């Protein structure tokens, strides 16, 4: 049994929404890949499962937590869980993530604790030395995480797997570098949204973009060819830019329209419109099928 956890949202009284909950696209892709590999998986979406549950952040009255409490998260973890994976996308989430993982470790002392995401990739040694995580997945996670699961199942060493970081028996920091980039992203299974409380997100208008009705997140490309000084992309994704087949992106849009009655799609790409011809083909396919949807790029893109 593998359990994946999405941490609660984090808000401040200053009006800055430090982590507005929206469907965790990366975790949904990871869950789909793990399930597709034949493993039993459970997902605990601590944000989406309790969007109306707001509490004060521990020892900080100027912050609020949106979602399940650490104890409620632990209560939902299946007793037979052997591997627990937690994504930490933003460093602002790290203090709360550490509180949660410490609480989980108390109840699951023998489980393999794994972290991934932008924060773990940016500061892996700090993350390992300041938490009970056993191992981190650096960069793009699907293939490295599944290899880690297989090694854990077979009681084999994982020190040769690309994309892992850990502390060895002598507490020395070991990093195998970033995960190898997946070039065949069209072959990945679609996000496993059936494992997440999607209706709560959709009904609550919890999305990154402007509220244009029932919305779903989407990703059409992975990576970015640029090296903007403010962005973590080169350290997380390298500069390899890999677009999906625009026909398959529209296929996915139609899938979610049918399953969730969605009318708007929020592209979560780092830079969705690098290739002019790709965008033309994508738009022509939307027109050809007469889908009558809206789509937006709330993450942004380079203006040129």
């Amino acid at each position: 049994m593998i359990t994946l956890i999405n941490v609660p949202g984090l808000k401040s009284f200053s009006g800055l929404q430090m982590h507005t909950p929206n469907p965790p696209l990366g975790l949904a892709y990871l869950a789909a890949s793990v399930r597709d590999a034949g493993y039993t998986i459970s997902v605990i979406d601590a944000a989406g499962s309790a969007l109306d549950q707001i509490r004060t952040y521990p020892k900080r009255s100027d912050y609020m937590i949106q979602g399940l409490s650490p104890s409620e998260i632990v209560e939902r973890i299946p007793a037979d869980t052997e591997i627990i994976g937690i994504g930490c996308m933003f460093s602002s989430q790290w203090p709360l993530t550490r509180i949660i993982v410490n609480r989980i470790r108390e109840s699951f002392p023998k489980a393999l604790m794994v972290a991934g995401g932008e924060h773990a990739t940016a500061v892996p040694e700090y993350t390992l030395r300041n938490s009970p995580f056993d191992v981190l997945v650096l960069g793009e996670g699907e293939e490295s995480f599944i290899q880690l699961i297989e090694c854990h199942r077979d009681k084999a060493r994982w020190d040769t797997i690309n994309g892992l970081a850990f502390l060895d028996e002598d507490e020395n920091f070991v990093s195998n570098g970033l995960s190898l980039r997946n070039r065949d992203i069209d072959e990945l299974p679609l996000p496993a949204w059936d494992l997440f409380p999607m209706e709560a997100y959709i009904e609550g208008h919890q999305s990154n973009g402007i509220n244009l009705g029932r919305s779903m997140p989407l990703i059409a490309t992975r990576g970015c060819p640029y090296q903007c000084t403010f962005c973590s992309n080169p350290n997380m994704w390298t500069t390899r830019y890999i677009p999906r087949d625009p026909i398959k992106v529209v296929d996915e849009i139609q899938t979610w329209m049918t399953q969730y009655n969605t009318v708007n799609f929020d592209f979560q790409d780092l830079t969705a419109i690098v290739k002019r011809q790709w965008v033309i083909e994508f738009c022509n396919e939307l027109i050809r099928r007469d889908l009558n949807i809206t789509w937006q790029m709330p993450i942004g893109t380079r203006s040129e």
Side-chain angles (χ1 to χ4, degrees):
M1 169 65 76
I2 295 126
T3 297
L4 299 180
I5 299 174
N6 181 39
V7 299
L10 185 62
K11 301 181 181 298
S12 75
F13 286 113
S14 68
L16 174 65
Q17 302 307 300
M18 300 173 69
H19 173 223
T20 299
N22 55 82
L25 191 56
L27 208 63
Y29 265 111
L30 187 62
S33 294
V34 172
R35 184 169 62 183
D36 196 58
Y39 295 99
T40 303
I41 187 166
S42 170
V43 170
I44 301 169
D45 188 343
S49 297
L51 290 171
D52 295 330
Q53 192 167 302
I54 310 294
R55 59 171 52 81
T56 303
Y57 192 91
K59 300 180 181 180
R60 289 292 301 266
S61 60
D62 52 339
Y63 292 120
M64 302 293 286
I65 298 172
Q66 183 178 10
L68 300 174
S69 69
S71 296
E72 290 171 327
I73 293 171
V74 171
E75 290 170 0
R76 297 190 181 202
I77 300 175
D80 58 345
T81 294
E82 299 176 67
I83 300 175
I84 299 172
I86 301 178
C88 186
M89 183 61 69
F90 304 105
S91 291
S92 59
Q93 294 174 283
W94 170 243
L96 179 57
T97 301
R98 185 169 57 183
I99 291 171
I100 293 169
V101 73
N102 280 327
R103 178 66 183 84
I104 293 172
R105 178 56 85 197
E106 294 173 1
S107 299
F108 291 85
K110 296 182 179 180
L112 182 69
M113 303 287 293
V114 187
E118 298 270 359
H119 175 84
T121 301
V123 285
E125 184 172 5
Y126 171 84
T127 301
L128 288 165
R129 294 195 186 280
N130 289 274
S131 72
F133 281 115
D134 297 300
V135 58
L136 311 179
V137 177
L138 311 180
E140 195 170 23
E142 289 93 349
E143 292 188 9
S144 294
F145 187 59
I146 290 172
Q147 291 176 23
L148 175 62
I149 293 170
E150 292 169 349
C151 282
H152 187 70
R153 177 198 63 196
D154 299 335
K155 296 181 171 56
R157 296 175 62 89
W158 62 54
D159 52 1
T160 60
I161 299 176
N162 289 303
L164 298 189
F166 54 91
L167 301 179
D168 66 15
E169 295 176 354
D170 298 320
E171 293 296 302
N172 296 311
F173 173 68
V174 178
S175 173
N176 296 340
L178 289 177
S179 301
L180 296 178
R181 291 296 311 279
N182 189 334
R183 300 186 184 189
D184 300 320
I185 58 176
D186 281 324
E187 302 306 315
L188 291 172
L190 293 180
W193 290 130
D194 58 297
L195 300 178
F196 293 81
M198 289 306 296
E199 198 57 39
Y201 281 116
I202 294 171
E203 286 288 336
H205 305 297
Q206 295 289 314
S207 64
N208 279 336
I210 298 169
N211 179 16
L212 296 175
R214 294 177 64 85
S215 301
M216 292 279 288
L218 193 73
I219 191 165
T221 65
R222 287 194 176 192
C224 175
Y226 301 110
Q227 299 187 60
C228 299
T229 56
F230 61 82
C231 186
S232 63
N233 167 71
N235 292 329
M236 177 73 183
W237 297 98
T238 72
T239 54
R240 180 180 290 278
Y241 177 77
I242 305 175
R244 295 170 60 193
D245 182 337
I247 305 300
K248 291 192 175 184
V249 174
V250 180
D251 288 342
E252 181 182 356
I253 286 174
Q254 278 202 287
T255 297
W256 304 139
M257 291 176 69
T258 300
Q259 292 188 17
Y260 296 103
N261 195 28
T262 44
V263 297
N264 175 71
F265 293 86
D266 300 324
F267 279 61
Q268 307 279 19
D269 305 54
L270 292 170
T271 306
I273 57 175
V274 169
K275 293 187 176 182
R276 180 176 183 272
Q277 188 57 40
W278 189 98
V279 179
I280 291 172
E281 291 177 11
F282 170 70
C283 291
N284 282 338
E285 189 64 17
L286 290 178
I287 294 168
R288 187 185 70 80
R289 301 193 199 187
D290 194 24
L291 294 187
N292 193 30
I293 62 159
T294 56
W295 61 281
Q296 50 188 315
M297 297 182 295
I299 305 302
T301 189
R302 286 177 63 109
S303 60
E304 73 272 34

